[in-house]
Amino acid sequence: MEEATRDRYTWVTRYTKTYNEHWVEEGRPSPLEPFPPEEYFEDVFDIMDLRRIIWWEKSRDMMLSWACVAYLELHAMKTPYCGLLFQTQKDKKVIQFVDYAKHLWRNSDERIRRAFPLSKPLERQADHELNFANGSYIVGIPGGSDQIRSYHPWGYLNDESSFQPDAGACYNEALAAVKGKIIFNSSAGPGWYADARHDIVRNEED
Amino acid sequence: MQMHDTTSSETKKIKRARLAELELAGKPPQTALLVRRGLTIRETKGGILVPRLHYSVAPSRDPELNPQWKLAERKVYTSQASWDREMEIVDQAGGGELVFADTLVTYWKKIVIEDPRWQPDPEWTVQGGGDHGKTNPTAIERAYVDFEGTIIFAGEYYQPGKEVWQHTPEIKRMPDFKRMDPCYFDPTAFDMTLQRSQRAGQAAERAKSIAELYQEAGIEVFSPFAGDRSDVSFAARLQLHWADLENREPTVKIDCRNYSETPQFGLHPWDCPNLLWELMRARRQKLSAQQLLIRNTSEAILDKDNHARDAMKYMVMSHPEPAQKSLERRVSERVAVIREKAVEPNSDAAATMAVLQCQKIMREEEAEEMDEPFYYGGNARRIIQRLERRRRLGWGR
């Protein structure tokens, strides 16, 4: 068990599964598969360990959103009373995002599920939530900086930040509300997130 | 963006990402370091880590190892722009790129005057531009034109949600406001509209124009801008003022000691934070992937947050002429040159020589000034303005 969850790469490539909606077209034997054992995922997880705040930019379809969810979720599983906040532009998408986390837990090795049980069965958990027996939780919220205020999580994941009109305001709110990891993750698109990553948004201290 | 490869076999035991991060120290912001092919990290000025995950990180998608994947995948996308945005991580692909921000950030120190001791020469001409808004901000930008023709924006009024009578006292408090001659204003503010009479059988009544309301409130410097109002022309003109800044000084500068990422409403006697804020945000229109199939990338600029920018446009597109030094100043400068060229510049002989030349120089300068012909459509207005200015400043002629 310890071996299975010693790091994220080991967990996602050997002891849990994601789902692939294009499995038929891609000729895969099943929609459920572990992360592909690509070496770059090791670097992806290592990079997220480096700093408190990470701003990812990515090509599409790299499984980076899955990786971000897995990165934060394993921390919550192993750390009691660790709260995580996931935010995407729309409510429907954020439910899907929380579902990534549920899916990773559901498809984990049975010993892992026993070691990190949920507070109540998966089917009785709310669409926007995943609660662990150790007091840790994952909550999904739709876009909008005012959504963050009432939470004080350890980690915050903002997905497809380029397409959230007030991503900048969300970032500022997250700085105040989140004590641990802040991860922004998006494919390209003009807006605050693009400007901020390229230092086009000038801060007063600049 | 510079690129350095940090991967080496002897450091395999140390994590590649950590190694790359260590190398970031001491590198300029936005320097990208390779963690592995397709995966780089860089830092913003504020020290935030920006990893970039490109599809080539996966060997099966790497164009060098498997060019077929890219060829097949590209066909799925409806346009090159959408491919560039989604897969090549090009934020501005398909239009929507920032118009001035890159130049401003790159040459901030040259374009933006941040020295709190800076002040304009009293002989520089003062002109302005203005744009009226009710729910949107009313913006007045004051600019100085120096002897070389450089336009320096130094002072603005930027306030939404007020009526003309509420704006007027604030605008009048602007330094050098009375010297502004002219202040080119949004021409639509001069439109006089007719409205149906309230009493049957009577002729329609005329509603007052915005400009008339300002006039009644004692502001008479507004002059309708009659030149090229195209935003695209303005952007091209401003980029010319800011071209080749590696080798020369900009010919449009902005005085601002209090820049912020948000608008700062009210009167700024000597700074233009809102003008800079708007210029930093100016974007070209973004076309959808479908539109890009049948059109070129748009040159048009988004009609948003463009109040101070419009005021600046009226001023810049009026092509102001350089200010002219006063006769006394020109004469004294020539006299100073004569003294400097003397064998002993500080001697009595040099001073005597300069005094002897003084009358001659003055006659020459006067003759040159009056020698300028008058043209009805040309420089008559400028010469009248100059005479007016001289009269106001009490230069005696």
Side-chain angles (χ1 to χ4, degrees):
Chain A
M1 221 292 300
E2 208 167 293
E3 146 75 15
T5 56
R6 69 165 187 227
D7 60 58
R8 279 93 174 178
Y9 183 76
T10 308
W11 178 46
V12 299
T13 54
R14 292 168 58 191
Y15 296 99
T16 187
K17 287 173 183 167
T18 66
Y19 60 82
N20 178 3
E21 291 169 273
H22 305 292
W23 68 284
V24 176
E25 293 79 8
E26 291 174 9
R28 313 298 302 176
S30 159
L32 303 181
E33 280 183 294
F35 272 50
E38 302 270 16
E39 283 184 8
Y40 76 84
F41 281 117
E42 241 179 317
D43 294 326
V44 163
F45 292 128
D46 288 344
I47 284 171
M48 287 194 272
D49 274 337
L50 292 176
R51 303 275 177 93
R52 177 177 170 239
I53 302 170
I54 305 283
W55 286 353
W56 281 103
E57 56 186 28
K58 57 155 186 170
S59 302
R60 274 187 79 132
D61 202 18
M62 300 302 296
M63 291 190 69
L64 188 58
S65 297
W66 276 100
C68 291
V69 169
Y71 177 89
L72 293 170
E73 186 179 7
L74 189 62
H75 187 85
M77 284 160 61
K78 292 164 79 173
T79 314
Y81 293 97
C82 173
L84 298 178
L85 205 55
F86 292 175
Q87 187 169 35
T88 61
Q89 192 177 358
K90 291 184 179 156
D91 194 54
K92 204 172 170 185
K93 178 70 187 164
V94 85
I95 291 173
Q96 185 191 3
F97 217 51
V98 173
D99 197 49
Y100 282 5
K102 290 178 178 175
H103 193 86
L104 287 174
W105 185 87
R106 185 192 296 122
N107 288 282
S108 285
D109 187 286
E110 194 187 341
R111 286 164 297 172
I112 296 174
R113 279 184 278 141
R114 274 206 305 270
F116 304 109
L118 302 179
S119 63
K120 53 186 173 184
L122 206 51
E123 56 275 12
R124 285 178 49 210
Q125 303 253 357
D127 284 349
H128 297 79
E129 290 179 21
L130 178 62
N131 294 288
F132 293 93
N134 66 358
S136 292
Y137 65 86
I138 294 172
V139 171
I141 53 171
S145 56
D146 55 333
Q147 302 280 337
I148 304 171
R149 282 178 184 276
S150 50
Y151 298 95
H152 296 90
W154 172 82
Y156 170 78
L157 173 59
N158 186 299
D159 193 55
E160 289 301 359
S161 316
S162 298
F163 306 97
Q164 294 186 34
D166 54 355
C170 289
Y171 175 67
N172 290 332
E173 284 291 335
L175 283 180
V178 180
K179 294 293 167 235
K181 198 69 80 178
I182 297 175
I183 300 172
F184 277 62
N185 166 43
S186 187
S187 44
W192 172 85
Y193 190 54
D195 298 347
R197 284 185 346 256
H198 293 98
D199 280 325
I200 290 169
V201 174
R202 287 178 63 92
N203 297 312
E204 281 174 24
E205 58 268 27
D206 291 338
Chain B
M1 195 182 289
Q2 301 161 50
M3 193 81 88
H4 302 276
D5 192 348
T6 63
T7 54
S8 74
S9 56
E10 64 178 24
T11 55
K12 213 172 177 180
K13 281 186 179 172
I14 307 174
K15 289 178 175 175
R16 290 160 178 262
R18 177 74 185 132
L19 203 64
E21 191 210 15
L22 287 173
E23 278 217 16
L24 273 180
K27 294 271 189 308
Q30 302 294 341
T31 303
L33 295 179
L34 200 66
V35 177
R36 65 166 57 241
R37 184 169 159 74
L39 178 58
T40 62
I41 58 171
R42 65 177 196 276
E43 263 184 339
T44 65
K45 276 183 191 166
I48 293 171
L49 196 68
V50 183
R52 178 186 180 88
L53 188 68
H54 185 257
Y55 62 84
S56 58
V57 74
S60 59
R61 300 176 179 190
D62 186 342
E64 281 186 9
L65 302 175
N66 182 16
Q68 292 307 313
W69 180 86
K70 184 179 173 182
L71 290 174
E73 196 69 13
R74 170 65 188 83
K75 288 177 187 164
V76 178
Y77 287 83
T78 53
S79 70
Q80 184 63 36
S82 59
W83 169 263
D84 286 345
R85 197 171 51 245
E86 303 286 4
M87 298 307 288
E88 304 293 351
I89 325 176
V90 180
D91 288 300
Q92 314 300 350
E97 82 271 29
L98 293 158
V99 186
F100 307 113
D102 190 34
T103 310
L104 277 167
V105 169
T106 309
Y107 299 104
W108 188 269
K109 299 277 179 211
K110 280 191 161 185
I111 295 170
V112 180
I113 300 169
E114 293 179 299
D115 182 357
R117 294 163 302 175
W118 180 88
Q119 52 185 16
D121 188 297
E123 288 186 14
W124 289 351
T125 52
V126 190
Q127 297 188 11
D131 187 39
H132 178 77
K134 173 65 179 66
T135 50
N136 287 309
T138 289
I140 308 286
E141 301 292 328
R142 189 182 74 247
Y144 295 85
V145 185
D146 74 6
F147 303 123
E148 275 75 47
T150 302
I151 305 167
I152 302 152
F153 285 86
E156 74 180 351
Y157 174 72
Y158 193 86
Q159 183 68 56
K162 286 190 175 177
E163 300 289 349
V164 169
W165 64 270
Q166 291 170 304
H167 289 307
T168 313
E170 286 294 301
I171 294 171
K172 282 180 175 172
R173 281 178 49 225
M174 185 182 258
D176 283 342
F177 180 72
K178 287 184 177 168
R179 284 183 61 205
M180 244 199 261
D181 190 13
C183 179
Y184 293 107
F185 210 71
D186 177 4
T188 61
F190 292 80
D191 292 343
M192 290 179 285
T193 51
L194 289 175
Q195 61 186 30
R196 188 190 294 271
S197 172
Q198 299 299 309
R199 278 168 286 186
Q202 292 205 350
E205 292 166 342
R206 188 173 69 79
K208 284 180 180 170
S209 70
I210 299 290
E212 277 178 303
L213 294 176
Y214 277 110
Q215 211 167 10
E216 285 176 3
I219 294 183
E220 297 181 346
V221 291
F222 293 156
S223 168
F225 176 70
D228 182 358
R229 288 167 64 195
S230 154
D231 285 335
V232 176
S233 308
F234 164 65
R237 171 66 56 183
L238 192 54
Q239 295 289 19
L240 276 179
H241 282 287
W242 289 343
D244 193 26
L245 292 188
E246 281 294 325
N247 303 308
R248 69 176 187 89
E249 283 295 306
T251 44
V252 167
K253 294 185 180 183
I254 299 166
D255 186 25
C256 183
R257 279 71 61 102
N258 57 344
Y259 179 74
S260 165
E261 272 180 50
T262 52
Q264 302 176 59
F265 300 129
L267 178 66
H268 299 271
W270 294 101
D271 302 285
C272 302
N274 300 292
L275 174 62
L276 263 182
W277 176 76
E278 286 192 4
L279 289 174
M280 289 285 282
R281 292 164 63 87
R283 286 183 182 281
R284 296 200 191 276
Q285 276 180 0
K286 184 184 171 188
L287 300 182
S288 68
Q290 191 61 35
Q291 288 170 315
L292 283 165
L293 287 175
I294 52 169
R295 285 195 220 165
N296 289 323
T297 306
S298 176
E299 294 283 335
I301 294 170
L302 277 182
D303 192 17
K304 181 171 163 47
D305 297 328
N306 58 348
H307 317 291
R309 207 174 75 208
D310 273 354
M312 181 194 209
K313 175 174 73 180
Y314 302 141
M315 164 66 198
V316 169
M317 297 303 276
S318 70
H319 309 301
E321 292 189 14
Q324 199 176 17
K325 292 174 184 170
S326 65
L327 179 68
E328 292 79 359
R329 188 164 176 171
R330 296 201 305 274
V331 171
S332 65
E333 281 179 2
R334 284 184 62 182
V335 167
V337 170
I338 291 171
R339 287 193 66 173
E340 279 170 20
K341 282 185 178 171
V343 183
E344 290 181 57
N346 293 322
S347 66
D348 288 346
T352 308
M353 175 80 79
V355 168
L356 287 173
Q357 297 269 354
C358 189
Q359 285 299 321
K360 178 174 163 270
I361 291 169
M362 191 172 283
R363 278 197 302 275
E364 283 175 4
E365 288 292 337
E366 280 176 347
E368 194 173 314
E369 194 166 275
M370 297 313 293
D371 198 29
E372 201 169 1
F374 281 74
Y375 297 104
Y376 282 116
N379 62 351
R381 186 172 161 208
R382 184 168 67 88
I383 291 174
I384 292 165
Q385 276 180 353
R386 187 197 305 151
L387 293 172
E388 283 275 312
R389 197 163 57 245
R390 286 173 155 274
R391 185 179 54 75
R392 270 202 314 270
L393 294 172
W395 289 343
R397 275 171 40 78

